[in-house]
């Protein structure tokens, strides 16, 4: 099936349905459902390796063969190389590699609202590179992703746990008659305090001075975390609470900071982060090879949502020309 797909897509672009019909003609003795499953699995694998590009046009999946950099016209290659260089600072930051002056310039010139998009794009290209390496690197990549997911899941679990206790203690209200409004950002601040207190080598200790009550507002460090009557536009960022006072809320937060079940969970996160750090060290040598390649004019493998459109268009045009030549 893989050979069939490579040969067809090198001819030109096809929709999923067109590929399925062609596959059923080539494999007439294979059940239709088996052909479908094999087609989907092999297309997915080719996408992961960056050999096939999928786009949705008018609600229909269309597949293109990825043209390798050495087959690009010079201007297309330079376009992709410029794109690759924009992503290098984000790859370096993922693996705690120091940014040079050019990296800093690129990062600082990236609009804040696009940072997440660039980070996701960098991860897409990186995944294609690392999956094309040996089994040892692929296993490290799988472990890295597993640890990242585990850490994020535990962080969110702790925040949900504190939020649920908050609602149980003070009651939640959907009306504007709520007595207190607790800002969701306060959950992040509580997590940071527990984390800093439990992290190895940390000398940070929590004290009552971290809290400040003033004119119907409660501050934790320099962050406003609760108030009695916030601006109506800010209320979407709040958990409205029916009962209690700001001083009672402060006491509740202090309890959560010292709560053993919370601190135990944070210690689990810290251990996972230590394992992640070791995994990063192992992967870093592969990352340096990828960075060196871009520095020497080799664009990143694969395709992301931010890749220049000119590459897809070039792939499509060349595919159509090849298809016409084969027919003539």
């Amino acid at each position: 099936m893989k050979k069939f797909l490579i040969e067809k897509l090198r001819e030109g672009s096809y929709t999923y349905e067109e590929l399925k019909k062609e596959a059923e003609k080539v494999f007439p003795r294979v059940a239709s459902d088996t052909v479908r499953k094999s087609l989907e699995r092999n297309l997915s694998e080719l996408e992961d390796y960056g050999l096939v590009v999928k786009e949705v046009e008018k609600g229909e999946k269309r597949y293109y063969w990825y043209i390798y950099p050495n087959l690009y016209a010079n201007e297309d290659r330079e376009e992709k190389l410029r794109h690759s260089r924009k992503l290098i600072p984000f790859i370096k930051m993922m693996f705690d590699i120091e940014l040079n002056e050019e990296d800093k310039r690129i990062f600082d010139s990236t609009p804040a609202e696009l940072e997440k998009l660039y980070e996701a794009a960098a991860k897409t290209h990186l995944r294609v590179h690392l999956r094309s390496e040996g089994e040892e690197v692929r296993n490290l990549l799988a472990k890295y992703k597993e640890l990242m997911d585990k850490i994020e899941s535990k962080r969110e679990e702790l925040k949900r746990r504190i939020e649920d206790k908050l609602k149980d203690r003070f009651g939640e209200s959907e009306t504007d008659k709520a007595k207190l409004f607790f800002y969701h950002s306060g959950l992040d601040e509580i997590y940071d305090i527990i984390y800093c207190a439990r992290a190895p080598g940390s000398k940070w200790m929590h004290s009552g001075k971290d809290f400040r009550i003033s004119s119907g507002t409660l501050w934790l460090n320099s962050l406003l975390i609760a108030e009695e009557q916030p601006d109506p536009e800010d209320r979407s960022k709040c958990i409205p609470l029916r009962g209690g006072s700001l001083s009672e809320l402060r006491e509740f937060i202090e309890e959560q900071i010292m709560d053993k079940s919370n601190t135990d969970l944070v210690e689990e996160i810290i251990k996972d982060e230590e394992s992640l750090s070791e995994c990063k060290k192992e992967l870093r040598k592969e990352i340096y090879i990828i960075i060196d390649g871009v520095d020497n004019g080799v664009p990143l493998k694969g395709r992301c949502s931010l890749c220049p459109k000119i590459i897809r268009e070039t792939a499509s045009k060349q595919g159509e020309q090849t298809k016409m030549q084969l027919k003539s």
Side-chain angles (χ1 to χ4, degrees), residues 91 94-95 122-130 287 290:
I91 291 175
M94 276 185 252
F95 288 87
K123 286 179 180 177
T124 298
H125 285 285
L126 202 54
R127 189 164 58 247
V128 172
H129 270 277
L130 295 176
I287 304 304
I290 293 167

Side-chain angles (χ1 to χ4, degrees), residues 161-171 182 187 239 241 249 252-253:
R161 185 186 291 179
I162 295 172
E163 184 178 346
D164 289 342
K165 289 179 183 177
L166 182 73
K167 292 174 183 176
D168 288 343
R169 176 80 167 267
F170 297 99
F182 181 93
L187 296 170
I239 303 167
L241 304 174
L249 184 57
F252 166 81
I253 295 168

Side-chain angles (χ1 to χ4, degrees), residues 89-287:
F90 295 89
I91 291 175
K92 285 184 175 181
M93 290 178 72
M94 276 185 252
F95 288 87
D96 305 322
I97 296 172
E98 187 176 356
L99 303 184
N100 59 32
E101 289 305 312
E102 178 62 13
D103 295 328
K104 290 174 184 176
R105 186 193 65 75
I106 292 170
F107 186 79
D108 291 343
S109 64
T110 302
E113 61 272 19
L114 293 181
E115 283 180 13
K116 291 290 183 186
L117 280 175
Y118 273 82
E119 186 179 321
K123 286 179 180 177
T124 298
H125 285 285
L126 202 54
R127 189 164 58 247
V128 172
H129 270 277
L130 295 176
R131 281 184 178 174
S132 65
E133 299 300 323
E135 185 177 354
E136 183 181 349
V137 174
R138 287 198 296 273
N139 289 341
L140 274 172
L141 181 63
K143 183 181 178 183
Y144 176 82
K145 186 179 184 305
E146 180 186 348
L147 285 166
M148 288 285 286
D149 291 344
K150 191 186 291 186
I151 290 165
E152 184 59 28
S153 175
K154 287 179 180 178
R155 282 175 180 161
E156 292 306 312
E157 181 188 339
L158 179 61
K159 291 173 191 175
R160 281 196 302 271
R161 185 186 291 179
I162 295 172
E163 184 178 346
D164 289 342
K165 289 179 183 177
L166 182 73
K167 292 174 183 176
D168 288 343
R169 176 80 167 267
F170 297 99
E172 185 180 17
S173 174
E174 296 298 328
T175 72
D176 285 344
K177 295 178 182 178
K179 194 170 183 180
L180 297 173
F181 291 83
F182 181 93
Y183 283 88
H184 280 279
S185 54
L187 296 170
D188 293 317
E189 187 76 355
I190 295 168
Y191 170 81
D192 289 342
I193 288 176
I194 301 172
Y195 180 92
C196 290
R198 311 308 293 186
S202 173
K203 296 180 180 178
W204 186 91
M205 290 296 290
H206 170 66
S207 71
K209 294 179 181 178
D210 300 307
F211 287 101
R212 178 165 56 88
I213 295 175
S214 173
S215 304
T217 59
L218 174 62
W219 297 75
L220 179 48
N221 294 320
S222 59
L223 184 72
L224 174 64
I225 61 165
E227 59 183 319
E228 293 173 351
Q229 291 299 327
D231 187 296
E233 291 184 4
D234 287 341
R235 290 186 183 179
S236 61
K237 304 171 187 175
C238 297
I239 303 167
L241 304 174
R242 289 196 301 272
S245 63
L246 288 172
S247 59
E248 288 173 315
L249 184 57
R250 179 183 64 188
E251 289 172 10
F252 166 81
I253 295 168
E254 288 179 323
E255 288 170 10
Q256 297 310 305
I257 289 170
M258 304 305 294
D259 183 272
K260 189 175 185 305
S261 64
N262 293 341
T263 57
D264 284 350
L265 185 55
V266 169
E267 285 180 354
E268 286 181 28
I269 292 170
I270 290 169
K271 286 179 182 176
D272 288 337
E273 287 179 336
E274 289 170 353
S275 299
L276 181 67
S277 179
E278 290 301 312
C279 190
K280 277 184 178 180
K281 286 179 185 175
E282 292 294 319
L283 281 171
R284 205 171 288 151
K285 59 185 178 183
E286 302 295 333
I287 304 304

